[in-house]
Amino acid sequence: IQMKAENYIALGYQRLLTFEVSGGGFSLMGRPPASVMLSAKGLLEFSDMAKVYPVDPALIERTRRWLLAQQKPDGTWTTASSWDAPPGAGGDPLPLTAYVTWALLESGAKNETGVSRAIGYIKENAYRATDGYTLAMVANALVAYDPNDAMARDVLARLDQVKVTEADGAYWGTKGGSFTGAYGVSGNIETTGLAAYAFLRARAYPESAQRALTY
């Protein structure tokens, strides 16, 4: 079973490499222009994969560099392709900025100046996050930066307050949809997974995390 799993990881890794765009970043078909969101998603995947498989460090570094090069002076990342914003975001850079910042931090880029700028923007604008999906994304970015920060704890508290309990489970919903355009039950599952991850990483609200996993 272990050999089969390792084989699947190796095949998946080689397949993912085909989506890298010449000049940096990733797109759905590996053709330009690259998508900021899909590049951040790739960075998350490769960073996780590197814990169990020999991922080329240069791949992680150049994806990280490409993302940082797309950052605006105010610390945000803005929509460059149809994949770069949840359908209901309305041009708000907060969801994408939180997602990219989270990906960069998971890849080990905490000391980058661009990450500090992004965290500053997220902290200043976290109050605008009212949809469960964006709130969970903001929570993950802040927790990845410093789970004990006062703003991270505040956002986690807000996230806990918007849960919907259902028997032994609980879920977090989204009215604006996810980056992949998921609504309804599918959108709830994505949002609930993000909420659970933030709680578990922060070692906060264990009962809510358990209810999320039950859901």
Side-chain angles (χ1 to χ4, degrees):
I1 293 175
Q2 181 178 345
M3 289 182 63
K4 182 179 286 187
E6 289 175 350
N7 185 51
Y8 282 142
I9 292 173
L11 290 172
Y13 178 54
Q14 294 302 320
R15 176 64 172 154
L16 285 170
L17 292 178
T18 66
F19 297 108
E20 187 175 17
V21 175
S22 177
F26 285 78
S27 71
L28 189 61
M29 297 297 179
R31 295 190 292 268
S35 157
V36 173
M37 187 282 285
L38 291 175
S39 300
K41 181 176 177 62
L43 184 60
L44 277 170
E45 291 178 352
F46 290 125
S47 298
D48 278 345
M49 191 181 292
K51 299 171 185 175
V52 296
Y53 185 81
V55 173
D56 182 3
L59 171 64
I60 292 177
E61 179 62 18
R62 67 175 175 265
T63 304
R64 186 189 291 153
R65 290 289 139 214
W66 185 86
L67 283 167
L68 287 167
Q70 312 312 307
Q71 189 181 32
K72 305 300 181 185
D74 65 354
T76 66
W77 283 266
T78 54
T79 303
S81 76
S82 60
W83 289 97
D84 288 344
D92 184 359
L94 185 58
L96 183 62
T97 299
Y99 189 58
V100 177
T101 304
W102 177 34
L104 288 167
L105 286 164
E106 292 281 0
S107 77
K110 184 174 182 177
N111 295 324
E112 293 284 349
T113 302
V115 170
S116 297
R117 285 204 309 270
I119 288 293
Y121 177 86
I122 292 169
K123 285 185 176 183
E124 289 177 6
N125 292 273
Y127 72 92
R128 294 195 293 101
T130 55
D131 185 73
Y133 186 76
T134 301
L135 192 59
M137 207 81 70
V138 167
N140 274 293
L142 293 177
V143 167
Y145 188 74
D146 182 359
N148 297 312
D149 180 79
M151 182 60 74
R153 291 290 164 175
D154 177 70
V155 169
L156 288 169
R158 289 169 54 203
L159 187 62
D160 183 63
Q161 290 169 3
V162 299
K163 68 178 179 289
V164 179
T165 56
E166 186 178 83
D168 292 333
Y171 69 89
W172 283 257
T174 174
K175 295 180 180 178
S178 72
F179 279 113
T180 57
Y183 292 96
V185 174
S186 296
N188 293 347
I189 291 171
E190 281 194 40
T191 304
T192 302
L194 288 167
Y197 191 79
F199 289 141
L200 291 169
R201 283 294 299 271
R203 299 182 182 274
Y205 303 95
E207 182 182 346
S208 292
Q210 184 59 56
R211 282 178 171 270
L213 294 175
T214 298
Y215 174 81

